[in-house]
Amino acid sequence: MTLDLFGGDDPAQHGRVTIGPQSVVLRGFALPTVDALLAGVDDVTAQAPFRHMETPGGYTMSVALTNCGDLGWTTDARGYRYSRIDPVSGQPWPAMPQAFTQLAQDAAREAGFPDFAPDACLVNRYEPGSRLSLHQDRNERDFNAPIVSVSLGMPAMFLFGGDDRADRAARVPLFHGDVVVWGGVDRLRFHGVMPLKDLPHPRLGSQRINFTIRKAG
């Protein structure tokens, strides 16, 4: 299934798109708070700059990342995990900006998860050609909490699969300001991002900033 909206439509006008029993895309949901969100990204990356981490298999990720909140997701030769300390600086990860927390809670409530209390935010920076292979988010302790994913900048094609890696994945285009929320029976579905095309955004240029907000601890 492909929800192909790469045709110039205004994504803010599409409202709510259901992509699973407990999964939705909230079109343009983050647009009213973009200025505060981008200021938050600047604050976080000033303290914990983007970096390309290495997977346990020795692969350098094409997506640059950083974290904020009480816990930050990291990967290296020892595996995938959450840590309270930035391995680069040796300091705690930056605090999660209030704009991130508020948006995540509002989006989760809109999607049917009213008691979301996030403690971790993984911030990703995609450039043309960057991709994220299909994977499950399994490093969190509480699978009852949803994942809230915010897209800013260039459009991307989000892959939303099933509970098994081999399940066919839906292709869901995401635009500047879109928020995806999945949880409940959909919480462990495989997902990823296809290689980004170079379709510069008027404000952010040839990059996509995505942050996924979670309850990890």
Side-chain angles (χ1 to χ4, degrees):
M1 179 176 68
T2 301
L3 305 176
D4 189 0
L5 301 178
F6 283 110
D9 290 341
D10 179 3
Q13 300 303 314
H14 288 277
R16 180 190 182 106
V17 178
T18 299
I19 59 174
Q22 290 184 276
S23 308
V24 296
V25 180
L26 303 175
R27 295 285 181 204
F29 194 82
L31 290 177
T33 57
V34 163
D35 288 347
L37 296 174
L38 290 176
V41 171
D42 288 343
D43 287 345
V44 169
T45 56
Q47 300 172 69
F50 284 114
R51 75 288 305 262
H52 293 273
M53 290 188 176
E54 186 174 297
T55 68
Y59 170 72
T60 299
M61 296 181 65
S62 66
V63 178
L65 61 87
T66 188
N67 292 277
C68 59
D70 293 339
L71 295 166
W73 183 87
T74 64
T75 174
D76 56 25
R78 294 182 293 157
Y80 305 112
R81 63 193 180 281
Y82 280 97
S83 171
R84 295 186 179 277
I85 301 299
D86 178 350
V88 173
S89 69
Q91 300 296 316
W93 294 104
M96 192 184 307
Q98 177 58 32
F100 289 22
T101 303
Q102 189 64 58
L103 175 65
Q105 291 176 327
D106 290 345
R109 186 178 305 108
E110 180 70 20
F113 301 97
D115 300 315
F116 186 40
D119 58 8
C121 176
L122 172 62
V123 186
N124 294 311
R125 183 184 66 198
Y126 292 78
E127 296 177 336
S130 297
R131 62 186 292 272
L132 194 62
S133 58
L134 284 173
H135 66 283
Q136 292 173 302
D137 289 339
R138 300 190 67 94
N139 297 124
E140 298 77 23
R141 292 184 179 179
D142 183 3
F143 293 157
N144 292 317
I147 303 290
V148 177
S149 177
V150 181
S151 294
L152 301 175
M154 291 201 304
M157 188 66 78
F158 180 60
L159 299 173
F160 197 57
D163 293 332
D164 297 312
R165 188 183 297 274
D167 292 342
R168 186 177 181 182
R171 297 184 177 187
V172 184
L174 298 178
F175 301 93
H176 180 69
D178 287 350
V179 179
V180 185
V181 184
W182 67 96
V185 298
D186 293 329
R187 172 60 178 75
L188 292 178
R189 287 175 67 162
F190 279 85
H191 56 282
V193 177
M194 293 182 66
L196 252 68
K197 298 179 180 180
D198 192 2
L199 300 170
H201 183 265
R203 182 167 180 179
L204 295 178
S206 292
Q207 63 176 337
R208 172 182 183 246
I209 303 297
N210 165 251
F211 38 96
T212 53
I213 304 172
R214 315 136 185 254
K215 187 181 189 315

